[in-house]
Amino acid sequence: MESERGVPLLERPLLEGEFVRLEPLGHHHVAGLAAAAAEDRASYGYTWVPPADGMDAYVDAQLARTAGGLLSPYAQVHRASGRVVGATAFWDPRREPQDGPLFAIEVGFTWLAASAQGTGVNLEAKYLLFRHAFEQWGVARLDLKTDARNARSRAAIEKTGARFEGVLRNWSRSWAPGEEGCLRDSAIFSITAQEWPDCRAGMERRLAGIRERRRA
């Protein structure tokens, strides 16, 4: 299928692991996302997370990007409880030519409720997205970006095995409080197809460790 601009739409398959299920984002997720966003927001200093009362508009905007071929958004659902605990997405697909095969993609628009942070949900969600990108779409490269000042986010990205490539200055809008209208420096990371097997093995070891600790 193609967008109105003739750009191929990104497919949105259900992706399911042991801790998290990634469901294609829809309006039926609004209430759950609102509840997730209403939890403690102290960790969102450099990350934009929609307010609970703005979730309808957030989902509308994400689905509009989807219809334009720019995004493949997901709701993150905690498998054990069935609660919606956040969102994530594939975005910025690169093709050559414009309607040709996908060669690169970014994982972004990610946020989690405070109660889901540090539980393995984020790691497994990244694992599911990365695996689909490399093993189903056959991309040559996968990107991740974050505010260069966001040490917590940078550490989490590095733990996936992604390589730090540098800081892009004044790269995008800042989401930090009090910085409305300002630009931020973005730290960029990547994984290539050649690196994916080692990256996958490392993520699987970490997930196995989480499982063992839960059984102990």
Side-chain angles (χ1 to χ4, degrees):
M1 295 180 62
E2 295 183 345
S3 71
E4 293 180 356
R5 300 182 301 145
V7 177
L9 297 179
L10 287 169
E11 59 186 65
R12 294 203 292 156
L14 177 73
L15 301 174
E16 191 160 13
E18 182 175 339
F19 309 134
V20 66
R21 182 171 62 251
L22 300 181
E23 298 180 355
L25 184 69
H27 287 102
H28 59 291
H29 294 116
V30 166
L33 288 169
E39 293 186 18
D40 183 2
R41 297 173 65 91
S43 65
Y44 299 153
Y46 296 112
T47 301
W48 182 72
V49 177
D53 61 1
M55 208 57 70
D56 277 305
Y58 167 75
V59 171
D60 285 342
Q62 295 296 73
L63 295 181
R65 294 184 178 102
T66 303
L70 302 175
L71 192 75
S72 178
Y74 287 91
Q76 301 196 63
V77 179
H78 184 247
R79 283 201 60 193
S81 66
R83 292 189 304 115
V84 177
V85 292
T88 190
F90 288 117
W91 79 294
D92 191 22
R94 276 97 81 199
R95 304 175 187 270
E96 185 59 43
Q98 179 176 299
D99 59 351
L102 189 68
F103 71 85
I105 194 79
E106 183 167 341
V107 168
F109 286 95
T110 301
W111 60 273
L112 275 178
S115 61
Q117 295 173 21
T119 64
V121 165
N122 180 60
L123 176 64
E124 190 175 56
K126 292 290 194 299
Y127 173 77
L128 295 171
L129 293 167
F130 294 1
R131 186 177 66 182
H132 187 80
F134 286 112
E135 299 180 15
Q136 299 302 315
W137 287 340
V139 300
R141 172 189 171 94
L142 185 141
D143 303 338
L144 302 105
K145 289 200 291 287
T146 188
D147 191 306
R149 299 166 294 179
N150 193 339
R152 179 174 181 168
S153 178
R154 289 177 65 161
I157 292 172
E158 288 175 346
K159 286 179 181 178
T160 69
R163 293 194 182 186
F164 173 60
E165 293 189 330
V167 173
L168 304 175
R169 296 177 299 165
N170 287 349
W171 181 253
S172 63
R173 176 182 176 182
S174 174
W175 299 108
E179 295 186 357
E180 292 76 9
C182 296
L183 297 175
R184 76 176 197 189
D185 294 347
S186 293
I188 186 166
F189 298 78
S190 71
I191 302 168
T192 66
Q194 293 81 6
E195 295 162 349
W196 169 237
D198 286 343
C199 180
R200 173 175 175 159
M203 295 178 84
E204 288 175 348
R205 285 193 296 271
R206 289 185 62 209
L207 288 168
I210 293 170
R211 294 187 195 100
E212 287 301 315
R213 289 193 294 274
R214 289 190 171 190
R215 295 189 186 108

